[in-house]
């Protein structure tokens, strides 16, 4: 099983500031944590990160016919991007939306998520463990076509 892990704008800055919202782990710590989790479950992961909306659309498109699932934290594009929503709809690859912070407990504008409508799961407010929960959901889902 192949999962693409996509992170949007500013997530490469994790651990540098705003630990109250995003914790102390760096982006590199996050990748290592996901790699370890993937190894333990025998799944293959590839990572992408960009600060540019069009790059994120390209990454999503590249999963078509090549990946079994997507775990994406679109960052601030969550709250604005119809292009990212359309890309997920276009490829039809099972996609989980992840947010490190609890977006529903923050500013009003963070409650809006365009991508959510195309996702099989949203995990919000579980810190970086949310990425692992999303991976497990996709793994379980693939093993049970009724989900
Ligand atoms: O909670 C999340 O994971 C978010 O997707 C993170 C985004 C934010 O715009 C979303 O509303 C919720 C922000 C990405 C990280 O931003 C940083 C800011 C300062 C220091 C490090 C990262």
């Amino acid at each position: 099983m192949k999962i693409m892990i996509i992170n949007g704008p500013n997530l490469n800055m994790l651990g540098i500031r705003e630990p109250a919202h995003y914790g102390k782990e760096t982006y590199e710590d996050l990748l290592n944590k996901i790699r370890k989790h993937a190894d333990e479950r025998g799944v293959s992961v590839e990572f992408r990160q960009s600060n540019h909306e069009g790059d994120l659309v390209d990454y999503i498109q590249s999963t078509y016919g090549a990946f079994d699932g997507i775990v994406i934290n679109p960052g601030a594009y969550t709250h604005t991007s119809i292009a990212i929503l359309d890309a997920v709809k276009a490829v039809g690859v099972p996609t989980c939306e992840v947010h490190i912070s609890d977006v529903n407990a923050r500013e009003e504008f963070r409650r809006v998520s365009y991508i959510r409508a195309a996702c099989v799961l949203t995990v919000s407010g579980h810190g970086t463990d949310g990425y692992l929960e999303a991976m497990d959901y996709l793994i379980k889902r693939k093993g049970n076509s009724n989900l």
Side-chain angles (χ1 to χ4, degrees):
M1 176 171 191
K2 268 181 93 172
I3 300 174
M4 184 178 281
I5 312 286
I6 304 175
N7 279 290
N10 296 311
L11 285 151
N12 55 320
M13 301 292 279
L14 278 181
I16 295 174
R17 288 189 56 209
E18 298 206 61
H21 285 308
Y22 306 122
K24 288 182 178 168
E25 284 169 283
T26 64
Y27 179 66
E28 205 47 50
D29 292 337
L30 170 63
L31 301 197
N32 287 333
K33 183 171 172 171
I34 293 172
R35 264 188 213 109
K36 180 171 175 283
H37 195 75
D39 286 351
E40 286 167 1
R41 280 152 181 73
V43 303
S44 145
V45 279
E46 283 190 24
F47 300 103
R48 304 283 187 275
Q49 190 277 328
S50 178
N51 298 324
H52 306 280
E53 186 176 13
D55 286 347
L56 299 174
V57 170
D58 288 343
Y59 300 152
I60 293 165
Q61 287 188 7
S62 75
T63 64
Y64 181 71
F67 283 78
D68 305 294
I70 299 171
V71 172
I72 183 166
N73 182 344
Y77 289 132
T78 305
H79 319 300
T80 62
S81 180
I82 298 167
I84 290 173
L85 165 68
D86 285 346
V88 173
K89 283 186 177 171
V91 295
V93 174
T95 298
C96 294
E97 172 194 16
V98 173
H99 300 288
I100 297 169
S101 66
D102 181 358
V103 285
N104 289 318
R106 298 181 64 189
E107 301 94 329
E108 193 65 36
F109 61 81
R110 292 190 205 272
R111 289 174 183 253
V112 175
S113 167
Y114 284 94
I115 194 175
R116 191 158 306 165
C119 290
V120 295
L121 177 76
T122 295
V123 186
S124 175
H126 296 183
T128 56
D129 285 351
Y131 291 81
L132 312 185
E133 288 171 33
M135 288 165 69
D136 286 345
Y137 183 85
L138 290 173
I139 294 164
K140 196 171 165 196
R141 189 179 188 278
K142 190 171 163 62
N144 178 0
S145 50
N146 293 325
L147 274 180

